[in-house]
């Protein structure tokens, strides 16, 4: 009897084994079909989001943000959360596993936003139609006449949109109310000016032009009416712009998708700030005689560091060679990475450096311009801004910020091996889910991690093979910015930090200019959690690397680690970590 059972078991497990390969193929094929379905549903429900992702099938529709639209969102979330349960996550490929979790997170986050977060009640700045319409005029995805036709159909929804907004708003915060007033009044120029310019260039006949102009006027009136309504809104005890601990922690979980809680990340950031200060003070002591001779060093550590930073910031390029300086560094970064064998760079995909296009003019610095998920063959550009035409003192202050040291770190972050390199790898395991729902903490965290990794390996040190103390000091200052972003965000929203204390920290502990600090305060009073993504992602990636080093000992190889890490695409670091740990077992 025992023997028979054993035979039966053996054959069962044999069948199970054959089945499981089959099941995996089935499950993955089924999941791919599910994803296509999910995305189509997502776009239908969110035509504005679809349009900005380059999917224009629903351009003629503007969703009126009423009770019915929220019910439709909830129904979509429930139906899809149900569908997701049908898949055995262990049977999915790594790419599908992470897609599965990212979709699930997106659905739960949406549901949470409607039921608990309720920003549609207290944040009036969430209501603004200008950007969607502006994109239809500025982006060249279809003929102008076709775009204008959809523009016209979409305009019909605007008055109802603002009526619904007024019904939704309850006890809004003062900060978001003011922002909504400013942005809606500013946004009317799309209908009053940009549209007229577009109509002149179009082939529409006079009647069509008149019809669209009449509707555009109604839309602009609705925007102004909304701003005026907000201005007169009786709101004697406005809600605080501070999110509070309970909502903040949840929002952090959904948006950052970290392996740490918000509180753990905050504690880590505070500790990191103190460590950075100690390191910076050590370098300041070391460099002091070189730059200040016999002059006594201030007894306050932070004051001494600040004087050293100010002195080093004088080393910067001239305004007219700003672009050239950035362009010159790209091949240097590539050569260094090859020489040190840090990461594989695909030679068939060189970065196209270009002067920033006309429509972006006035934005200095550098940024990556990547093609969207529906424009796979488009080029990736490195837009480099020019300072031409800037007033002298504004240019000088900007160049001190982006001095010879920081400019190199900026290039590492934005281009190689930062955002640009990460993007190339992400495109190798194509996932439309990850290009739509890509995790910002992973994306920004990688770029911030890359900065430190390059200096650790001696970038900028030339023949000495080591980055100079000056370079490290400036790097630490740069790193303090993302560290203090996290401290600021958590302190303000959870710990009730005052504006005075916030500015004091940014200016005296993170060594920022007063104007920069004021801007940061403005940002933290109308956003939540977003400012944490840089430090959180960086910390998780760095910790993962150190953990792998320990585990693998002599067998650890930095290039392999980078290749493996990036191969999972823009997924949250905690999932990448899980998969890498499994693999290394
Ligand atoms: Zn200067
Ligand atoms: Zn970045």
């Amino acid at each position: 009897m025992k023997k028979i059972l054993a035979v039966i078991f053996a054959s069962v497990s044999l069948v199970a084994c054959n089945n499981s390969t089959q099941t995996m193929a089935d499950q993955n094929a089924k999941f791919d079909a599910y994803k296509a379905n999910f995305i189509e549903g997502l776009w239908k429900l969110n035509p504005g989001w679809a349009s900005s992702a380059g999917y224009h099938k629903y351009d003629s529709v503007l969703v009126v943000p009423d009770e019915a639209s929220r019910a439709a969102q909830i129904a979509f979330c429930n139906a899809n959360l149900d569908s997701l349960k049908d898949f055995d996550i262990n049977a999915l490929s790594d790419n599908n596993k992470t897609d599965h979790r990212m979709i699930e997170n997106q659905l739960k986050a949406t549901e949470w936003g409607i039921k608990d977060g309720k920003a549609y009640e207290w944040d009036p700045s969430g209501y603004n139609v200008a950007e969607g319409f502006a994109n239809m005029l500025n982006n060249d995805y279809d003929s102008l006449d076709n775009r204008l036709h959809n523009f016209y159909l979409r305009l019909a929804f605007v008055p109802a949109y603002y009526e619904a907004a007024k019904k939704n708003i309850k006890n809004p915060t003062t900060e978001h109310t003011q922002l909504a007033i400013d942005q809606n009044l500013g946004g009317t120029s799309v209908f009053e000016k940009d549209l007229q310019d577009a109509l002149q260039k179009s082939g529409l006949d006079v009647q069509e032009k008149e019809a669209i102009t009449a509707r555009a006027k109604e839309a602009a009136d609705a925007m102004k009416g909304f701003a005026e309504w907000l201005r007169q809104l009786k709101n004697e005890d406005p809600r605080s712009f501070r999110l509070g601990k309970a909502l903040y922690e949840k929002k952090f979980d959904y948006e950052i998708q970290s392996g740490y809680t918000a509180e753990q990340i905050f504690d880590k950031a505070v500790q990191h700030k103190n460590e950075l200060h100690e390191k910076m003070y050590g370098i300041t002591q070391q460099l002091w005689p070189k730059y200040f001779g016999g002059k006594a060093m201030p007894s306050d550590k932070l004051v001494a560091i600040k004087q050293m930073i100010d002195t080093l910031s004088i080393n910067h390029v001239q305004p007219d060679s700003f672009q050239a300086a950035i362009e010159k560094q790209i091949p240097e970064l590539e050569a260094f990475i090859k020489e040190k064998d840090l990461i594989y760079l695909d030679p068939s995909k060189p970065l196209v450096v270009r002067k920033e296009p006309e429509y972006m003019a006035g934005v200095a610095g550098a940024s990556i311009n990547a093609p969207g998920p529906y424009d796979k063959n488009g080029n990736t550009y490195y837009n480099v801004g020019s300072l031409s035409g800037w007033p002298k003192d504004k240019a000088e202050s900007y160049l001190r910020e982006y001095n010879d040291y920081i400019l190199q770190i900026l290039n590492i972050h934005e281009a190689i091996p930062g955002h640009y390199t990460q993007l190339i790898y992400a495109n190798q395991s194509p996932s439309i889910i990850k290009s739509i729902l890509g995790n910002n903490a992973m994306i920004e965290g990688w770029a911030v991690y890359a900065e430190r990794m390059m200096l650790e390996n001696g970038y900028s040190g030339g023949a000495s093979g080591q980055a100079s103390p000056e370079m490290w000091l400036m790097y630490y200052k740069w790193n303090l910015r993302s560290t203090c972003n996290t401290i600021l965000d958590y302190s303000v929203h959870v710990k009730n930090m005052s504006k005075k204390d916030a500015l004091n920290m940014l200016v005296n502990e993170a060594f920022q200019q007063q104007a920069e600090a004021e801007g940061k305060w403005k940002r933290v009073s109308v956003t939540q959690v977003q400012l944490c993504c840089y430090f959180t992602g960086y910390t998780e990636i760095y910790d993962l690397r150190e953990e792998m080093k320990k585990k693998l000992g002599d067998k650890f190889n930095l290039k392999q680690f980078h290749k493996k890490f990036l191969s999972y695409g823009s997924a949250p670091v905690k999932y990448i970590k899980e998969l890498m740990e499994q693999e290394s077992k």
Side-chain angles (χ1 to χ4, degrees):
M1 188 63 196
K2 255 187 195 161
K3 206 176 167 190
I4 295 170
L5 265 183
V7 171
I8 292 172
F9 277 139
S11 63
V12 165
S13 70
L14 205 75
V15 171
C17 188
N18 282 335
N19 266 349
S20 91
T21 332
Q22 189 53 43
T23 315
M24 280 187 79
D26 281 356
Q27 285 272 308
N28 280 297
K30 219 175 107 191
F31 191 69
D32 287 340
Y34 163 76
K35 283 195 288 189
N37 216 354
F38 164 77
I39 290 168
E40 184 60 27
L42 185 74
W43 290 156
K44 200 171 177 189
L45 214 49
N46 301 280
W49 185 5
S51 186
S52 68
Y55 190 81
H56 298 288
K57 187 170 159 188
Y58 302 110
D59 272 14
S60 62
V61 181
L62 175 72
V63 173
V64 174
D66 55 11
E67 194 58 55
S69 80
R70 286 190 291 279
Q73 291 277 359
I74 296 281
F76 177 76
C77 293
N78 287 336
N80 279 281
L81 283 168
D82 259 1
S83 305
L84 285 176
K85 285 189 198 131
D86 289 345
F87 296 96
D88 172 10
I89 195 150
N90 293 313
L92 297 177
S93 66
D94 285 354
N95 196 8
N96 276 339
K97 260 187 195 126
T98 41
D99 279 359
H100 185 285
R101 286 170 160 163
M102 289 167 83
I103 294 172
E104 184 181 28
N105 181 76
Q106 172 65 30
L107 296 166
K108 286 185 174 167
T110 303
E111 208 166 25
W112 177 84
I114 292 173
K115 289 182 178 165
D116 298 302
K118 295 193 176 204
Y120 63 91
E121 288 185 358
W122 51 263
D123 176 6
S125 74
Y127 302 107
N128 194 330
V129 298
E131 196 185 339
F133 282 100
N135 286 339
M136 295 177 84
L137 297 180
N138 296 331
N139 297 342
D140 198 15
Y141 53 87
D142 197 353
S143 75
L144 178 60
D145 288 3
N146 284 346
R147 284 182 281 136
L148 283 170
H149 182 65
N150 281 326
F151 193 101
Y152 172 70
L153 295 175
R154 199 165 184 268
L155 274 172
F157 297 95
V158 175
Y161 174 99
Y162 281 105
E163 282 315 307
K166 290 180 202 168
K167 274 198 193 118
N168 290 339
I169 289 168
K170 287 186 190 91
N171 194 28
T173 84
T174 310
E175 290 75 9
H176 293 96
T177 303
Q178 192 53 50
L179 186 66
I181 293 171
D182 295 344
Q183 290 186 338
N184 272 285
L185 290 178
T188 56
S189 65
V190 174
F191 302 121
E192 290 170 343
K193 185 182 171 300
D194 303 359
L195 174 64
Q196 293 312 314
D197 295 345
L199 285 176
Q200 298 226 313
K201 286 182 220 149
S202 80
L204 301 186
D205 62 38
V206 179
Q207 260 179 329
E208 287 171 308
K209 283 183 183 173
E210 276 174 9
I212 197 168
T213 302
R215 268 194 191 173
K217 187 180 179 308
E218 280 173 27
D221 287 347
M223 289 180 94
K224 289 177 198 165
F226 180 61
E228 189 52 35
W229 180 83
L230 285 172
R231 219 190 327 247
Q232 297 192 9
L233 189 70
K234 275 220 162 52
N235 192 13
E236 277 159 12
D237 185 22
R239 178 192 175 108
S240 165
F241 73 87
R242 301 171 198 272
L243 205 54
K245 188 170 167 78
L247 290 179
Y248 188 93
E249 300 258 341
K250 269 284 173 207
K251 190 169 189 209
F252 180 91
D253 289 345
Y254 285 127
E255 261 174 41
I256 307 282
Q257 301 180 71
S258 164
Y260 298 108
T261 65
E263 192 170 14
Q264 284 169 330
I265 278 297
F266 168 74
D267 289 342
K268 274 179 169 285
V270 171
Q271 193 196 340
H272 191 62
K273 181 187 78 177
N274 294 335
E275 285 165 9
L276 289 175
H277 283 162
E278 283 313 309
K279 287 179 185 164
M280 293 172 91
Y281 186 59
I283 296 174
T284 301
Q285 283 176 306
Q286 180 194 346
L287 291 179
W288 192 267
K290 179 173 166 188
Y291 291 93
F292 292 96
K295 193 182 159 202
M297 209 169 105
S299 58
D300 186 315
K301 285 184 186 179
L302 295 176
V303 173
I305 296 170
K306 183 166 188 338
Q307 286 187 12
M308 186 54 72
I309 288 172
D310 288 346
T311 300
L312 295 178
S313 301
I314 293 167
N315 302 311
H316 62 73
V317 298
Q318 292 310 304
D320 53 0
S321 50
F322 183 70
Q323 278 182 317
I326 290 181
E327 282 174 44
K328 189 174 149 280
Q329 276 172 25
I330 301 299
E332 291 171 5
L333 285 162
E334 287 171 337
F336 179 80
I337 287 167
K338 270 188 206 131
E339 184 204 320
K340 299 274 175 169
D341 207 23
L342 299 175
I343 189 167
Y344 173 74
L345 302 173
D346 185 349
S348 69
K349 304 215 164 56
L351 179 55
V352 187
V353 182
R354 70 171 179 188
K355 299 201 155 73
E356 72 184 0
E358 211 45 60
Y359 69 90
M360 296 176 72
V363 188
S367 63
I368 288 286
N369 198 247
Y374 294 99
D375 184 20
K376 280 248 175 306
N377 297 320
N379 269 330
T380 296
Y381 294 104
Y382 193 36
N383 299 315
V384 180
S386 140
L387 302 183
S388 71
W390 280 39
K392 234 183 162 168
D393 53 341
K394 191 179 165 198
E396 173 65 19
S397 146
Y398 184 86
L399 289 167
R400 282 192 185 195
E401 184 66 33
Y402 291 92
N403 53 59
D404 290 347
Y405 310 98
I406 302 280
L407 201 55
Q408 300 185 62
I409 299 168
L410 178 74
N411 276 320
I412 294 173
H413 179 107
E414 295 292 341
I416 295 169
H419 289 317
Y420 175 68
T421 303
Q422 192 263 326
L423 201 77
I424 300 276
Y425 275 85
N427 286 341
Q428 280 168 2
S429 61
S431 152
I432 194 148
I433 295 297
K434 290 186 188 76
S435 44
I436 300 165
L437 306 177
N439 179 257
N440 245 338
M442 183 276 173
I443 294 168
E444 286 304 340
W446 170 262
V448 177
Y449 162 78
E451 299 160 3
R452 178 164 174 183
M453 187 275 291
M454 288 291 275
L455 292 205
E456 283 175 341
N457 284 283
Y459 184 68
S460 78
S464 80
Q466 283 189 332
S468 66
E470 285 90 340
M471 187 69 189
W472 275 110
L473 182 71
M474 293 310 255
Y475 162 75
Y476 290 141
K477 186 212 156 183
W478 179 260
N479 193 244
L480 264 177
R481 185 196 280 185
S482 46
T483 309
C484 286
N485 277 346
T486 294
I487 300 176
L488 177 77
D489 204 58
Y490 191 84
S491 302
V492 167
H493 286 291
V494 176
K495 298 167 91 73
N496 214 22
M497 183 187 237
S498 70
K499 181 177 180 183
K500 186 167 162 265
D501 289 347
L503 294 181
N504 181 48
M505 176 180 77
L506 296 173
V507 171
N508 297 317
E509 294 191 62
F511 313 107
Q512 295 179 4
Q513 299 295 314
Q514 190 69 27
E516 190 188 348
E518 297 267 0
K520 209 36 90 51
W521 173 260
K522 230 179 159 179
R523 187 166 156 195
V524 78
S525 59
V526 290
T527 66
Q528 318 88 25
V529 173
Q530 202 187 70
L531 282 167
C532 295
C533 73
Y534 304 83
F535 179 76
T536 309
Y538 155 76
T539 301
E540 291 197 270
I541 297 170
Y542 197 83
D543 288 357
L544 173 61
R545 188 189 80 181
E546 295 306 290
E547 184 199 301
M548 292 305 248
K549 258 190 196 168
K550 246 194 222 152
K551 211 174 188 171
L552 296 173
D554 289 347
K555 285 191 206 108
F556 179 84
N557 176 291
L558 190 60
K559 189 182 186 178
Q560 287 301 322
F561 170 79
H562 291 152
K563 190 181 167 191
K564 190 80 211 159
F565 178 83
L566 291 177
S567 73
Y568 297 100
S570 310
V573 181
K574 69 172 168 183
Y575 299 140
I576 298 179
K577 180 179 165 174
E578 202 181 292
L579 294 169
M580 282 180 86
E581 283 171 348
Q582 258 167 31
E583 183 130 330
S584 76
K585 262 179 200 157

